[in-house]
Amino acid sequence: MFKQKPLAAAVSLAVWSLATVPAIAQDAAPVPMQTVEVTGIRASMAKSLAVKRDATANVEVITAEDVGKMPDKNLADSLQRLAGVAVRTDYDEAEKVSMRGTNPDMSLIIFNGHAVSSADWYVADQGSSSRSTSLSLMPSHVLNQAIVYKTSQANIVDGGLAGTINVTTRKPLSQKERVSGVISVGGSYVELADKYAPDMNGSVTWKNEANTFGVIASLFSEKRFVRRDSVSRFAYGTSSGWDVINTTTMLGITDASLAGTGYKASDLNGVRLPGSMSSEFVESVRDRKGGMIALQYKPNNQLDVNLTGFHSSLDADNHGRLTSSAIYSMLLGKNHPLGNTGAAAINTAGVDGQRVYAQIRNPVIVNETTVYGHQLKVLKAADIVFPDGTPPQYVGNSEGFFRDGANATSSFLDLDAKYRVNDDLTVKTLLSASRGIGRTDLDQGLTLARYGTGISYALGGLHDAPYVKYQGAGSNQPGLNADGSGYRIVDRAASGIRTEDKEWSAQFDAEYKLGRGVLQSLESGVRIAEHKRTSGRWGPAFRAGLINGTTGALTPSAITPTTGWAPYPGDFGDGLGGGFWDNSGFTYTREATKAYIAANTKVTSPEWERRVSSEIDMRERQSAGYLMANLEGERWSGNVGLRFVRTNVKANIVTPVAPRTACLRVEPGKPAVTCAAFPGTITTAGDAVAYYDGVPFDPSSGTMYYKTPTDRDFDNWLPSVNLRYEITKDMIGRFGASRTIGRQNYNILGSGFGVPTCDANGCRVTGPNPDLEPMTADNLDLSWGWYFAPRSAVTVSVFHSRLKGYPKTGATGGSTVELTDPRDNQVKTFAINTASQQGAKISGIELSYEQPFGKTNFGFTSNVSRAKTKVDDGRPMVGASEWAGNLGLYYEDDKLSTRLVANYRGDYVNSSTAPSPTANSQGLSTINGVLMPTAPTYADGVTTLAFNLNYYITQNIELAFSATNLTNAKRAQYRYSEQEQQKLDVSGRQYFLNLRYKF
């Protein structure tokens, strides 16, 4: 399962060598649920199992010591070790959590019983408008307990289609001492980045002598540096990924050029071909700072009031570089420096000025069976070269983008109160407000075109970098050589983004004890919430253009900077394998990039920099009420309930003005003018329209937009039943049945329209579908658990869910819109290519087993889960892994505790957690006459290994060491099959060392 590295072997040996340490700790008995001060791994495991065993619903539990003692930096790291839970890992840290083979958007994460607005740090995720919660902002040490509800019940907040995770924070009156706290000082080291960073956090608890009022205050400041090395198929222009060979347009592929290979040109038609060979290099920083304060007032046994505030901010400036080839442009005989292959794009030119086409020499063709069962051929290796004697032509690009001011924040404030009116009636109220902001101040970069005579490549295994060698392209540095090879600047871009997500909610709950036969109590409650999501981009105006966007011809201002650049590090790609390959590259430094962009842009106005076309502006109101009966009989207990939910969605959808000339754009600095034809048109926004120095302003250029309001109501009834039966004292059986809902992603409901397209088959445009109903799932769950000894359990769960309303993107429905045909500037009716809805099914099984090794201080935890998904249209479910599993070994005595944990997640479709309605990801492609689904991008299965060790120097001083990604796992992606490698990356091992003082 692992490639054995020296460090991993040493860590494994260290764990097992602890067998010589005397086993002096005794088995810990379960403690009450609200007790936070637990001692050691074993006590926390006992507590978790006690909660799991006594719960009516099928739950998984993580306690404070689990989080603190496991090798985790945030809650997602810990959650992925539970049966049926998987995470999406970006770069080096787990962020998004999914349950039971579903997408992260289908899991609801709540804190202290209410939703929390979170944000993303990466620019692409900031614009995705996903509902999933990023846990990269949630350090593990501020948390008390996480309960994962795999079966639903009426008193749980709605929105978790696949399940709900309730995270609770610490309460001050639960602490044993009047004054206590912990201070942790240390640092992190990331092997690939080869950089150290400080890591500090602390908390203090105080309560009065009467134990009626207390305060917990926590602060954290955790920094680390990140680097990721990648090879991929990403490129500019046509077929950035994979496509097929077509000898009717790739005229350089002839019988003569293939002489001696055993192939004719006709043999290559329809063969799958990688669009590019690319290498990527990203450096970033994660600087997480924030804190939490919790106040508790409990003057008597009747009243308990808690106020909790939390704020976390993550600075994550990142610098990405790319070196890519342009195989398709070469084969199509096009010389556009950004890879465009349209009819107007400039052509290649040989020594006689005539158009030339790249040839395919020395082809290696293999057969593949796609994930859909079709047979295809793949060009695994070849020389893509121009005819001998051809002067250098366009063969690829190099770019570097520095994302300055990348930041994510998450905050919440909640007030909850519980009052026991009398022995029979208890009422509770919860008020909360939350806000998350993800922003990138300026995503800025430069792009250069590369000129040469060819590229050779050979794809190896899925987990090895391909062989790549450029021909006649000169060295990797900016500037053209005397023969025309080398690099020249062809593009630059700068834009920012800000996405804000906020919610307030109020709920009131009551429980009335009856004690009448099997009916023990009734619970009821109401909840209202208002959720707002806004997202918008902006970009400064450039002083001059570099190329003609259609033809690719350069302008006089396209002067290539030859200073301020740096090569890729000498060890770039060392962890990717693959033997010899061209791992060189260069990019402009972040300082040089910022200076170039600043010198080539100008001040206009915030209104002009606005890019209305990408905006999302939504408000969602949720209201719910429920009634639930708690039941109990001899050896059994349970609940049955009904929840009613109404969702009101209002979206202001960005709509293009048609005809384009119906409204005139206002020049920066001039008074705003209302458009009579479309009064709501935003006439002051530039929407990336050119505004060059010395060029007369054209008020009719580009597309202008207004916003169309929509208002929809959706009602859902959600019944649920949970039964728990004590087969024996130590053996528990459970049954759960429920209906749950999951709301659609914001971009499907309220994004703007895409680029209009017309052809012989009519006119189409991508766009949103505000009529999409929330997804619903009818769920069945049956589980059995045997708690046969302290800290020991075997559990089995089988489940089945039938989904209704799963989004099917790229479907042309009955909705239309009036837009301008770009071919003749005439207003026509366009069919909206958008998301529709369909059904899906999920069936699975989960097994878990944990137990100490006899009476020793050693023990293990383990689980494995399998979830089979089936979507009506036959496509895979986005983000769904069929297999997941964990294996952990631990040792603990009164001085030392240590864990070694392996985590596995199987392959899954690696799409955004918020699939865009503007992407026809579920369309069809014809390859060699076979009509088949368009190829998704799969993330291959990956195993990670983590280790941590805690040693108590004294009773109050603890040394903590953690290491993650010990095997330096490679993360691979592929398309139709593993023969079509799409991407491979590594992020290196990470180490954390902290000294903690407890008082």
Side-chain angles (χ1 to χ4, degrees):
M1 188 161 56
F2 313 117
K3 181 179 286 186
Q4 189 75 345
K5 301 286 187 179
L7 179 59
V11 170
S12 301
L13 182 61
V15 173
W16 289 109
S17 68
L18 295 174
T20 59
V21 180
I24 63 173
Q26 301 298 313
D27 291 348
V31 294
M33 185 172 177
Q34 290 301 321
T35 300
V36 175
E37 187 67 21
V38 294
T39 57
I41 297 172
R42 293 170 298 174
S44 66
M45 291 176 64
K47 179 180 177 181
S48 295
L49 285 180
V51 175
K52 178 181 172 74
R53 172 177 173 165
D54 295 339
T56 301
N58 185 3
V59 302
E60 300 286 349
V61 183
I62 297 175
T63 67
E65 282 291 323
D66 279 320
V67 176
K69 295 295 185 182
M70 296 181 79
D72 306 318
K73 297 306 291 182
N74 70 38
L75 180 62
D77 287 324
S78 296
L79 289 172
Q80 71 175 325
R81 308 188 200 289
L82 299 176
V85 178
V87 300
R88 193 188 86 176
T89 300
D90 287 327
Y91 291 86
D92 61 326
E93 186 174 20
E95 292 195 55
K96 305 294 179 75
V97 176
S98 61
M99 296 175 60
R100 291 188 159 180
T102 61
N103 190 287
D105 293 308
M106 299 180 184
S107 301
L108 177 65
I109 299 178
I110 56 179
F111 282 71
N112 296 332
H114 60 82
V116 170
S117 296
S118 72
D120 294 296
W121 61 267
Y122 183 57
V123 63
D125 289 328
Q126 288 169 349
S128 73
S129 289
S130 166
R131 287 187 184 267
S132 60
T133 300
S134 174
L135 293 178
S136 62
L137 289 159
M138 308 295 176
S140 59
H141 51 77
V142 302
L143 307 172
N144 170 41
Q145 188 177 71
I147 300 180
V148 180
Y149 289 90
K150 296 180 177 180
T151 57
S152 186
Q153 52 194 44
N155 62 351
I156 296 178
V157 176
D158 49 85
L161 186 80
T164 302
I165 302 171
N166 186 26
V167 179
T168 59
T169 54
R170 295 185 172 96
K171 294 185 176 181
L173 297 184
S174 298
Q175 306 303 303
K176 292 182 179 180
E177 305 295 334
R178 280 197 58 211
V179 179
S180 61
V182 60
I183 299 173
S184 176
V185 179
S188 65
Y189 173 71
V190 178
E191 189 177 67
L192 190 59
D194 193 22
K195 289 184 178 180
Y196 297 86
D199 184 344
M200 296 172 285
N201 62 77
S203 66
V204 61
T205 302
W206 173 88
K207 59 182 181 178
N208 62 8
E209 291 185 1
N211 201 38
T212 59
F213 179 74
V215 180
I216 292 179
S218 301
L219 292 173
F220 54 88
S221 177
E222 302 169 338
K223 185 177 183 179
R224 57 196 167 87
F225 293 92
V226 179
R227 172 178 151 187
R228 185 179 71 180
D229 294 358
S230 308
V231 290
S232 72
R233 305 290 79 77
F234 180 82
Y236 284 83
T238 302
S239 300
S240 174
W242 288 80
D243 211 321
V244 296
I245 296 173
N246 182 353
T247 58
T248 62
T249 56
M250 301 174 180
L251 302 183
I253 306 173
T254 64
D255 292 345
S257 68
L258 294 169
T261 65
Y263 292 106
K264 294 183 178 181
S266 58
D267 297 331
L268 271 63
N269 272 320
V271 173
R272 294 277 288 174
L273 172 76
S276 68
M277 291 289 144
S278 304
S279 60
E280 302 175 54
F281 168 52
V282 180
E283 288 181 307
S284 181
V285 65
R286 301 284 190 281
D287 194 356
R288 180 169 56 194
K289 296 178 180 178
M292 185 188 73
I293 186 167
L295 291 80
Q296 184 177 12
Y297 176 59
K298 191 175 181 181
N300 49 52
N301 290 332
Q302 284 72 44
L303 180 64
D304 187 1
V305 181
N306 293 270
L307 178 67
T308 306
F310 173 82
H311 176 76
S312 179
S313 176
L314 179 69
D315 290 326
D317 289 356
N318 52 99
H319 192 192
R321 296 86 153 171
L322 170 75
T323 298
S324 67
S325 60
I327 292 174
Y328 269 84
S329 292
M330 296 165 62
L331 290 171
L332 293 170
K334 286 294 183 178
N335 221 30
H336 191 290
L338 291 176
N340 295 347
T341 56
I346 56 177
N347 298 324
T348 53
V351 291
D352 57 359
Q354 297 299 308
R355 187 176 184 180
V356 291
Y357 296 84
Q359 303 171 346
I360 294 180
R361 299 178 185 173
N362 304 313
V364 176
I365 300 175
V366 299
N367 295 317
E368 70 167 327
T369 301
T370 74
V371 292
Y372 298 111
H374 299 104
Q375 296 298 310
L376 294 177
K377 295 181 178 180
V378 175
L379 188 66
K380 289 284 284 187
D383 300 318
I384 313 295
V385 295
F386 288 101
D388 296 341
T390 301
Q393 307 292 321
Y394 169 68
V395 295
N397 295 92
S398 176
E399 72 167 23
F401 272 76
F402 175 52
R403 299 172 181 104
D404 199 5
N407 175 268
T409 63
S410 180
S411 307
F412 69 80
L413 180 66
D414 62 54
L415 173 65
D416 74 84
K418 180 178 181 181
Y419 180 62
R420 192 176 69 174
V421 180
N422 52 48
D423 290 343
D424 296 326
L425 178 62
T426 300
V427 295
K428 296 182 290 183
T429 186
L430 174 61
L431 305 175
S432 70
S434 180
R435 184 173 75 161
I437 298 176
R439 77 171 195 274
T440 298
D441 291 339
L442 202 60
D443 179 8
Q444 54 199 310
L446 309 179
T447 301
L448 293 88
R450 190 176 196 181
Y451 297 88
T453 58
I455 180 174
S456 300
Y457 79 89
L459 291 169
L462 182 62
H463 294 89
D464 291 303
Y467 166 86
V468 177
K469 183 179 181 181
Y470 287 87
Q471 299 180 19
S475 59
N476 251 311
Q477 63 183 50
L480 290 176
N481 301 309
D483 63 354
S485 65
Y487 289 93
R488 63 177 178 181
I489 192 167
V490 294
D491 196 18
R492 69 275 184 279
S495 66
I497 186 172
R498 184 182 188 273
T499 297
E500 182 177 18
D501 186 272
K502 57 183 181 181
E503 177 175 304
W504 67 262
S505 65
Q507 63 185 74
F508 178 83
D509 302 88
E511 181 177 7
Y512 187 72
K513 294 182 180 179
L514 294 171
R516 297 179 180 178
V518 299
L519 182 58
Q520 294 298 301
S521 67
L522 287 175
E523 292 186 49
S524 64
V526 293
R527 177 180 182 269
I528 57 173
E530 181 169 281
H531 199 107
K532 291 186 177 181
R533 170 64 68 99
T534 58
S535 181
R537 299 189 73 100
W538 63 87
F542 282 92
R543 296 184 176 276
L546 295 183
I547 64 170
N548 181 298
T550 301
T551 66
L554 287 174
T555 66
S557 60
I559 301 174
T560 304
T562 55
T563 60
W565 62 275
Y568 283 10
D571 63 349
F572 171 75
D574 284 357
L576 296 172
F580 173 78
W581 53 285
D582 185 356
N583 64 348
S584 62
F586 78 92
T587 187
Y588 293 103
T589 65
R590 58 183 63 189
E591 294 78 13
T593 299
K594 292 172 65 175
Y596 181 93
I597 295 298
N600 285 271
T601 55
K602 58 184 177 181
V603 176
T604 53
S605 67
E607 292 83 5
W608 179 262
E609 292 187 355
R610 184 177 173 186
R611 298 185 178 180
V612 181
S613 60
S614 63
E615 291 182 355
I616 292 178
D617 182 5
M618 296 185 60
R619 191 216 66 189
E620 181 179 272
R621 285 181 177 169
Q622 306 165 9
S623 54
Y626 74 90
L627 179 66
M628 187 176 80
N630 293 307
L631 312 173
E632 186 173 344
E634 184 178 357
R635 298 174 61 180
W636 70 273
S637 61
N639 59 61
V640 59
L642 181 65
R643 188 179 184 93
F644 171 75
V645 179
R646 168 164 289 182
T647 306
N648 172 258
V649 180
K650 291 185 177 180
N652 295 313
I653 297 175
V654 175
T655 307
V657 169
R660 295 177 181 176
T661 55
C663 299
L664 299 179
R665 196 181 305 275
V666 176
E667 187 174 3
K670 301 293 180 64
V673 177
T674 301
C675 176
F678 298 91
T681 299
I682 303 169
T683 61
T684 55
D687 264 299
V689 167
Y691 186 55
Y692 297 142
D693 292 344
V695 178
F697 177 73
D698 181 3
S700 62
S701 61
T703 302
M704 302 183 67
Y705 302 90
Y706 61 97
K707 293 190 176 182
T708 303
T710 63
D711 191 339
R712 304 288 190 275
D713 285 320
F714 306 102
D715 293 339
N716 295 96
W717 293 92
L718 309 177
S720 63
V721 59
N722 289 279
L723 297 175
R724 176 184 181 274
Y725 182 74
E726 289 189 5
I727 303 170
T728 67
K729 180 181 179 182
D730 300 321
M731 199 175 294
I732 309 297
R734 288 184 179 83
F735 169 79
S738 65
R739 174 172 293 170
T740 53
I741 70 167
R743 297 177 175 91
Q744 304 289 350
N745 281 318
Y746 303 105
N747 60 346
I748 294 180
L749 295 170
S751 66
F753 291 92
V755 178
T757 302
C758 293
D759 54 29
N761 297 317
C763 293
R764 298 167 303 281
V765 65
T766 55
N769 185 352
D771 295 321
L772 285 189
E773 298 181 356
M775 292 175 286
T776 61
D778 292 331
N779 313 292
L780 293 174
D781 183 279
L782 185 64
S783 66
W784 170 85
W786 182 27
Y787 303 86
F788 56 89
R791 305 187 314 280
S792 304
V794 175
T795 61
V796 181
S797 297
V798 292
F799 58 90
H800 176 77
S801 295
R802 184 171 183 175
L803 278 62
K804 180 182 178 182
Y806 182 74
K808 176 181 175 63
T809 62
T812 301
S815 299
T816 61
V817 64
E818 299 297 307
L819 298 175
T820 302
D821 186 339
R823 301 173 300 178
D824 55 18
N825 288 324
Q826 297 298 310
V827 176
K828 298 178 181 177
T829 299
F830 282 69
I832 300 176
N833 193 22
T834 188
S836 61
Q837 296 186 274
Q838 60 182 323
K841 296 178 182 179
I842 306 171
S843 300
I845 183 170
E846 299 164 350
L847 307 173
S848 64
Y849 176 29
E850 56 186 274
Q851 183 182 3
F853 288 134
K855 295 183 178 181
T856 72
N857 293 353
F858 288 95
F860 74 94
T861 60
S862 62
N863 64 70
V864 63
S865 62
R866 186 185 188 190
K868 293 284 290 184
T869 60
K870 184 178 181 181
V871 182
D872 283 355
D873 64 5
R875 273 64 163 186
M877 182 175 287
V878 175
S881 289
E882 181 176 350
W883 290 97
N886 297 273
L887 176 63
L889 304 173
Y890 66 86
Y891 172 87
E892 183 178 62
D893 60 28
D894 62 342
K895 285 285 188 180
L896 180 70
S897 65
T898 184
R899 285 188 190 238
L900 182 67
V901 183
N903 174 264
Y904 172 77
R905 181 182 182 181
D907 56 357
Y908 62 97
V909 175
N910 186 34
S911 176
S912 164
T913 57
S916 172
T918 61
N920 191 14
S921 59
Q922 294 170 332
L924 298 173
S925 299
T926 301
I927 303 176
N928 273 355
V930 178
L931 186 65
M932 65 182 70
T934 300
T937 300
Y938 278 87
D940 192 42
V942 64
T943 300
T944 57
L945 185 66
F947 171 77
N948 97 311
L949 182 148
N950 298 73
Y951 180 74
Y952 285 91
I953 301 172
T954 69
Q955 185 177 0
N956 301 100
I957 300 176
E958 177 187 11
L959 186 66
F961 170 77
S962 297
T964 62
N965 194 24
L966 279 172
T967 55
N968 192 21
K970 299 178 185 178
R971 298 184 182 274
Q973 299 176 22
Y974 61 92
R975 297 298 294 275
Y976 272 132
S977 79
E978 293 186 5
Q979 297 290 343
E980 298 187 14
Q981 183 193 70
Q982 181 67 16
K983 191 173 185 180
L984 181 69
D985 63 58
V986 292
S987 58
R989 302 173 182 87
Q990 300 178 70
Y991 306 97
F992 305 88
L993 184 65
N994 292 82
L995 187 65
R996 298 172 182 160
Y997 172 66
K998 299 181 179 180
F999 59 91

